[in-house]
Amino acid sequence: MRELGEMGLKLQSAVKIQRLAVETSDLSKCDPEKVREEAFKIRPASMRQAKAGHEKTAEIKTAEQSSVDVDLEPADVAEEKVDSEAIQSERAARRPPPVNSGVLPLPWKGRLGYACLNTYLRSAGTPVFSSRTCRIASIIDHRYPLQDPTQPEHATKNRPDKTQSPDIQRGREFVQELGLANARDIVKMLRWNEKYGIKFMRLSSEMFPFASHEEHGYKLAPFAADVLAEAGKVAGELGHRLTTHPGQYTQIASPRKEVITAAIRDLEYHNEMLSLLKLPEQQDRDAVMILHMGGTYGDKAATLDRFRENYATLSDGVKMRLVLENDDVSWSVHDLLPICEELNIPLVLDYHHHNIIFDPSIREGTLDIMDLYDRIAKTWTRKNIKQKMHYSEPTAEAITPRDRRKHSARVKTLPPCAADMDLMIEAKDKEQAVFELMRTFKLPGWNLFNDIVPYERDDEPRKESKRTKKEKKSGNTDEAGEEAAKLIEELTWKEISRPALTKGWFKALPGSTFSELIEITDLRARNAGRGIVDDKPQQDPWSILIIIMMFEYFKGDESKWKPYMDVLPASFETPMFWSGAELDELQASATRTKVGKADAEEMFHAKVLPVIRANHEIFPSSQSYSDDELVQLAHRMGSTIMSYAFDFQNEDEEDEEDEEEWVEDRESKSTMGMVPMADILNADAEYNAHVNYGDDALTVTALRTIKAGEEILNYYGPHPNSELLRRYGYVTPKHSRYDVVELPWKLVENSLAASLGLSEQQLDNAREYLDMDEIEDTFVLDRESDEPNPDGTFTGSARFSDIPEDLRDQLKLLLKAVRKVDPSSVADKRKRDEIQHSVLIKALDALASQYPTTIPEDERILSGSDISERQRAAVTVRLGEKRLIEEAKSYLSGIASDTALEETSAPNKRARRSD
Ligand SMILES: C[S@@+](CC[C@H](N)C(=O)[O-])C[C@H]1O[C@@H](n2cnc3c(N)ncnc32)[C@H](O)[C@@H]1O
């Protein structure tokens, strides 16, 4: 068994290395034999563990970055190349099962639960759910009475009347009404659950929107006391367990005071909600609040100390309900169990998270954790609370930890828990996932829900789509819009689809018919024979909108959008259109490398031109255009979209409730579109208006008094000037608070080598101890900036407050590695801390020196009058980055001198630490 486990691990590393080789976009260099050889080299277990932590931070970062850079980024283009079917199949074939265990807890006597949302009831004719919410701007709007308070509100005809005087209580009642509607639906869900054999459910944290908000928060008693007591009474009668899971930002071990204050408010809110249910004694004890420890802030021991300290200050009510859960990034079961035992806190074991940060020296899965079952169970029994566990599985194709973080829609098996466990199934299909498990294993109640077909059945009256509603309302669909929407459907995709491998043979069979929309694919590499795939190429929202805009453009005067297209710019100030000399003005700014012109053109060639060329009848005038001219036109449309288009969430996604779990990397399902008029507002980091997207109308709300002649400004987001320039072609002084600078790891390494007098060979030897696959090659430094105030202004300024945690960690790893190569070069831990700061300062110096001009020189250039707009923008970007580098250096020097001071004043402590 053990050998098999190790073999699985090696195969996994092989897959990982292969994937990385592919991700560096050099498919041809990926020699499978070499990859396998590499994978079978055993590294010390400690290194592997350390690297696992890194992988997580690196991946989270990538996910964040990709959510910003929607489409034209090189990474995306590379990603597409990577995702060839063969590689995917290979990876999938090699994946280990989600849970390695021979134990199935049958016959099952426990309760299976689902979290927060019942998909069946949510999509019923009259939706039943507990997460109705609103925006803060709506609370503020509803401080004003309705135009006709005797009539129900209407999105256009009966809105809050801003000419009257506002009343804070009125706004609060508006949001509280949403909470009451949410709470009233608990009983409906409980009764439904009971009917179908489910007796365990997590209540949505969004039950009472903004209840724990600093400014807009409110107590639940007395207004919600009766509704909650009624829900509790029904839960009591039915023996239903109710729990909660405050969100990931509720962290009581944060070093930031404001985070702790907010977390305590949120815990008190959850506690009040559960207490007002007035459940029978045991059920009340079982109504727990699950919390994650949160970040490590670079120092787990210090974080645990803060946790101890802050936990002690929590109210008894909160302490009675608080439960800790292992996460998939930083805090494993092994980390949390001791603190849970120490502080008398139950520990909820989440198998899915555990399987992501497992100890690879044992094997993936649950075997290592089973030895801890007794200790985990005791954390519950000694408080007389019924134990619960969380179970979910990664998506079927998941291989890397990043992939595996995504929960699959349903689960295939049960974990090896006690057969009477309360098991929360955290899967996207919620109650349907529970049903599937019940069906698979014929668990008690499996025969109760035969009348429940999957929640998307056609005979259930479903919510109308908003588009249909609008169309109906106008009585006459907007022809131009409809025409554009139909365009994509009409296009024949064959020219750009994958070559048909096996369809020809299949089609040749006598009597066969074959839809053009599907394709037979070869899945033998993963032992799955043939399979059917959707044959449409993956057009993304960008290419679709570019094609539609080009379609309208070619129609010329015939286009109903012509007047709108005419006011849109034909040329742009974004760096995409700058000359080489103009780009050079950006100096060492990372923006210089992010222009993405070549990648954009590659995308046009792959996704836009083939569609146009294959459809002369739809784009008749395009025939007179050369390929180059089409690419230029695609650039123009792409840049227009970049500056003017809006993202629209798909209907399905809007209805989806948050998993209330650790951050998930969801696939984007958005669509992009042009919205004339809505795109007319300019923007700045301090703004005075907010655009509200209603079902039937788009409104703009002033956030404060706007003087006559003053420009109405929207908010495009907390972008650094470099990003503002890249996307929109402008910069503003106010956006400099969000400036960032990218520090290449190479500079840190060089600076370390210089500080310790290491030779290139010694540095290379140290690198051998690191898993280079996990090493980040750049780190983003930025300032800490508060959110803008509700009126769009800022109270304080942004300040540099810390070096990124992953940079610190990576540097620590390197220092440890250097110590192994040359123990005399880094004497002890204290020395390592000192070195860290000076190394980073030197690295920042090196970074600053890559910019040929100094801060005063840039300031002089900017104050001059003979400077073009493009130059002004470039100098503003580079100057912002230089100033940030200086701030980071002063911060580090400050810490370094504090440490020195501490050492001179506390020699005993120092002596202990260096032991
Ligand atoms: C959505 S449009 C805003 C309306 C646009 N000004 C127009 O002419 O229709 C975004 C573009 O407006 C310009 N813009 C927006 N805010 C700006 C600002 N604060 N300063 C300069 N230009 C701005 C940029 O060219 C940007 O790409």
Side-chain angles (χ1 to χ4, degrees), residues 120 191-197 431-432 435 439 445-457 459-460:
Y120 184 88
R191 295 217 180 276
W192 191 95
N193 287 347
E194 175 68 11
K195 186 169 168 200
Y196 297 110
E431 84 293 344
Q432 300 291 325
F435 287 164
R439 241 183 239 120
W446 71 277
N447 49 348
L448 293 177
F449 46 86
N450 290 336
D451 57 337
I452 292 286
V453 285
Y455 55 95
E456 282 190 324
R457 64 181 186 182
D459 57 346
E460 182 71 31

Side-chain angles (χ1 to χ4, degrees), residues 567-569 572-574 639 642-646 678-684 711 713 716 724 727-732 735:
V567 294
L568 292 175
F572 296 84
E573 290 307 309
T574 46
S639 295
M642 180 84 108
S643 305
Y644 287 77
F646 287 75
D679 61 8
I680 210 165
L681 289 185
N682 286 340
D684 207 344
E711 182 170 6
L713 289 175
Y716 292 169
L724 210 58
R727 291 185 188 210
Y728 302 104
Y730 74 98
V731 294
T732 80
H735 268 276

Side-chain angles (χ1 to χ4, degrees), residues 410 428 520 567 629 671 694:
R410 304 203 173 179
K428 281 193 164 61
I520 297 182
V567 294
E629 284 166 335
T671 319

